[in-house]
Amino acid sequence: MSPESSLESSHESWLGPEGNWDSFLSMAREAGLDADDAHMRELYDYIRVILPGLRAVDELDLTGVDPAMLYFPPKELLSQDTLEAGP
Amino acid sequence: MDKTEICYLPASQLSGLIQRKEISPVEVVEAQLARIEATEPTLNSFITLTSEQALADAKTAEEEIQAGKYRGPLHGIPITLKDLYYVKGIRNTSGSRIFHDFVPDFDSTLVTKLKDAGTIILGKTNTHQFAYGITGENPDYGDMHNPWNPERITGGSSGGSASSVASGQSTLTMGSDTGGSIRVPSSLCGLAGLKPTYGRLSRYGLTALSWSQDHPGPLARTVADCALLMNATAGHDPKDPATSLAPVPDYTAALTGDLKGLRVGVPKEFFEAPLDPEVERAVRRAIDVLEEMGALVKEVAWPMYRYATPIATVIQMAEATSYHADLVRNRGSEYATPVRLLLEAGFFLSAPQLNRAQQARTLFVNQSLELLEDVDVLAGPMTPITAHTIGATEVTVGTTTMTTRAALTQYTRPYNLSGFPAISVPCGFSEEGLPIGLQLGARPFAEETLLRAAHAYEQATERHKMRPAL
């Protein structure tokens, strides 16, 4: 694994596999959810099931791959010189 | 003509009768309103019925046609719209009581086009809340019921749209597909349903779920009717920056019935996934029929297929939670619990996770494009099971027990993630009498190829002519 992909893979989700109830509540508050709601226990159980299933994406070597959603600067903001010079 | 016969006529036949003034749009709408009255207590297809307006519009259409102002093949044809298509002056709930009284003050671009084509809107159809679910179950407006067996799901999220057409309540319908929401209910209710290429149809004026994976599209009893709806709705819209400038062909011209030389790839991964043996037999038989009709069929490999669901799910969760963030924070208890949980779970994804999913999407699209250089169409099952019982949260597929959500979206996600077009077409029935669907996918903007293949297959079989015993 390249350093780049290793660095990317080190960014686990906020919860992470080591997440516990207290850190979950802390993150729920950060997200603006009502951490005192009785529903939080149901949400906690739910995310511990659903989020690990999404980690299959981490198996892929994404080194040097641009994301599908690229930002394109509006053309009218580019000078004519820049447009003519190309990338 | 018998009123039930009128209700089940495809638009492609009905339009000729209307044009020749052998039947009036008023007769058609009256027949379908009677059909709705008789079957709606069983099906629950609608959130809002617009009977009076529909009759008035039908009368206007009749007068225009009598005066020689025939607009084309959709003039005077009834249609239903999933309740997330904005129609000026008609409430748009998106399947949630939160928006029970929301009335848009403008038409979505697709509604404008459908009105210009002369369709008659019968009403707004029931949907999984905010289109965020695949079964068609809705605690706010009641569950949708499958016309082939009302104890079974319609599939979702465009479940009311599917049941309205499968039962003859309407001739045509429009739905939307973010994770299979056109194709799954089409498959489970025995319809043709097309998810067009991303950017082929405008999303302007439709309630969003996942901006980069939302696809409006048609469901109908025949492939030809899907083509008619594509002719009326496809094209660039300045109000939707994602729409393409690519010219819109005449999709009905593609329905040649000829499959000779069409290269059909069958990804082996489709059959390595959990799959009901009865569904597998029907789908393999359908692929044999394509070959007998002259298609060149071969097995192909699609190694990235198994990553489609996690990649698409990360992106969908992030986008849907962004869209609903304030609402779910402040009124979370008013959502259906499964929808609320999905939306709240989106807050626990990280920015790098989303970005990695977008990088993976690039890989997925590139591999899919390479695969579709060797073949014109990919063929496989639409869903691994037939319609399950309403209320079930898990199903057994072959020997595997899995959530209904995972099962029903198993074959749909690749085409939402890539934005490539895909169509569901009926290919058989289970021993219980439930419809089975064949899915065909193709390169971006190859809807003509899909419609040609699906239509040719459909015409070689009788499944599209069968009706539920309602």
Side-chain angles (χ1 to χ4, degrees):
Chain A
M1 185 179 284
S2 72
E4 183 187 355
S5 59
S6 174
L7 179 65
E8 288 171 354
S9 293
S10 71
H11 290 274
E12 296 294 349
S13 74
W14 291 2
L15 185 65
E18 73 286 358
N20 58 37
W21 174 244
D22 289 335
S23 61
F24 160 76
L25 287 181
S26 171
M27 286 182 278
R29 284 190 194 93
E30 285 284 330
L33 300 175
D34 179 5
D36 298 325
D37 192 319
H39 162 74
M40 283 297 118
R41 175 58 68 177
E42 187 177 23
L43 177 60
Y44 179 60
D45 293 341
Y46 184 74
I47 63 172
R48 286 168 69 88
V49 170
I50 194 168
L51 294 188
L54 305 178
R55 294 183 190 284
V57 179
D58 293 340
E59 296 170 9
L60 296 166
D61 182 359
L62 301 172
T63 309
V65 180
D66 278 349
M69 304 295 283
L70 287 173
Y71 172 69
F72 295 100
K75 285 181 181 167
E76 59 269 28
L77 298 182
L78 297 176
S79 71
Q80 194 58 37
D81 289 347
T82 307
L83 287 172
E84 286 171 2
Chain B
M1 187 183 294
D2 174 73
K3 280 189 175 182
T4 306
E5 290 304 312
I6 294 173
C7 293
Y8 275 106
L9 277 177
S12 56
Q13 289 179 31
L14 195 51
S15 63
L17 296 174
I18 288 173
Q19 184 181 16
R20 293 191 298 274
K21 300 166 194 164
E22 292 172 22
I23 193 167
S24 152
V26 175
E27 285 178 77
V28 179
V29 168
E30 284 177 346
Q32 292 192 322
L33 290 177
R35 180 83 178 146
I36 290 167
E37 190 176 348
T39 56
E40 187 62 2
T42 303
L43 299 176
N44 197 32
S45 305
F46 289 86
I47 289 178
T48 303
L49 258 175
T50 53
S51 309
E52 283 185 23
Q53 185 64 49
L55 282 169
D57 291 344
K59 202 170 283 286
T60 302
E62 182 184 68
E63 288 166 2
E64 286 178 351
I65 293 164
Q66 288 291 343
K69 296 174 185 168
Y70 183 65
R71 298 192 198 186
L74 293 185
H75 200 176
I77 304 288
I79 192 168
T80 58
L81 303 168
K82 186 176 184 176
D83 200 19
L84 45 70
Y85 280 65
Y86 286 18
V87 182
K88 184 178 179 180
I90 299 175
R91 70 171 174 169
N92 187 89
T93 70
S94 304
S96 168
R97 290 267 174 202
I98 295 173
F99 290 105
H100 185 71
D101 298 317
F102 168 60
V103 179
D105 60 1
F106 67 96
D107 285 334
S108 61
T109 296
L110 295 183
V111 167
T112 300
K113 289 186 172 198
L114 289 164
K115 284 182 174 176
D116 289 347
T119 60
I120 311 292
I121 298 170
L122 295 176
K124 307 292 295 297
T125 54
N126 204 346
T127 167
H128 215 104
Q129 269 191 357
F130 298 107
Y132 210 177
I134 201 69
T135 59
E137 294 163 297
N138 185 322
D140 283 356
Y141 295 102
D143 298 333
M144 291 142 262
H145 296 262
N146 193 313
W148 295 91
N149 180 342
E151 293 179 1
R152 304 298 178 99
I153 61 163
T154 54
S157 56
S158 311
S161 283
S163 60
S164 72
V165 171
S167 64
Q169 291 179 330
S170 178
T171 307
L172 299 171
T173 191
M174 292 291 289
S176 66
D177 190 318
T178 305
S181 290
I182 287 173
R183 292 162 290 156
V184 169
S186 294
S187 177
L188 301 188
C189 293
L191 300 174
L194 173 65
K195 183 201 80 64
T197 308
Y198 186 76
R200 184 73 291 188
L201 268 62
S202 171
R203 297 164 301 137
Y204 178 74
L206 272 68
T207 309
L209 172 58
S210 174
W211 298 285
S212 72
Q213 297 188 80
D214 290 343
H215 300 70
L219 302 84
R221 286 191 295 277
T222 67
V223 175
D225 281 4
C226 285
L228 284 174
L229 279 170
M230 285 295 290
N231 279 353
T233 55
H236 177 65
D237 176 14
K239 294 173 181 170
D240 178 354
T243 50
S244 170
L245 290 163
V248 178
D250 175 1
Y251 291 104
T252 56
L255 310 180
T256 62
D258 182 13
L259 289 186
K260 288 188 181 62
L262 183 79
R263 301 171 303 166
V264 176
V266 182
K268 62 184 176 66
E269 291 81 2
F270 286 172
F271 296 93
E272 293 166 356
L275 178 59
D276 184 287
E278 201 173 22
V279 174
E280 178 172 356
R281 280 195 297 277
V283 170
R284 287 200 185 275
R285 175 65 195 135
I287 293 168
D288 287 344
V289 170
L290 296 177
E291 192 162 27
E292 289 161 13
M293 295 179 72
L296 307 171
V297 178
K298 69 173 182 178
E299 186 179 89
V300 296
W302 198 0
M304 284 288 287
Y305 160 74
R306 74 184 187 91
Y307 293 101
T309 291
I311 301 167
T313 303
V314 169
I315 294 167
Q316 179 174 334
M317 286 175 69
E319 293 182 355
T321 300
S322 298
Y323 184 84
H324 284 268
D326 288 341
L327 208 53
V328 78
R329 282 184 186 119
N330 298 318
R331 300 177 69 175
S333 63
E334 295 175 60
Y335 284 79
T337 300
V339 176
R340 180 185 188 182
L341 288 169
L342 271 168
L343 290 169
E344 290 174 336
F347 285 118
F348 294 84
L349 294 170
S350 69
Q353 250 185 312
L354 173 60
N355 212 46
R356 277 208 303 278
Q358 296 288 19
Q359 288 176 282
R361 187 181 210 174
T362 300
L363 283 185
F364 185 85
V365 169
N366 289 345
Q367 187 178 94
S368 304
L369 283 171
E370 282 175 23
L371 180 58
L372 283 160
E373 284 176 7
D374 283 342
V375 295
D376 301 307
V377 163
L378 296 172
M382 186 64 256
T383 56
I385 51 172
T386 53
H388 63 72
T389 306
I390 292 172
T393 56
E394 289 189 334
V395 286
T396 300
V397 187
T399 57
T400 307
T401 299
M402 55 202 302
T403 65
T404 54
R405 180 182 180 80
L408 291 170
T409 59
Q410 179 171 286
Y411 298 117
T412 58
R413 296 280 190 194
Y415 298 102
N416 295 95
L417 183 62
S418 65
F420 294 8
I423 192 167
S424 178
V425 62
C427 73
F429 288 86
S430 68
E431 285 182 8
E432 292 181 300
L434 294 167
I436 298 171
L438 168 74
Q439 178 172 230
L440 303 173
R443 284 185 287 275
F445 301 101
E447 282 86 357
E448 289 168 283
T449 305
L450 281 186
L451 290 165
R452 174 166 68 98
H455 172 73
Y457 172 76
E458 175 193 79
Q459 294 303 305
T461 64
E462 296 290 315
R463 273 114 196 178
H464 63 290
K465 294 179 181 170
M466 297 182 73
R467 298 174 189 173
L470 268 177

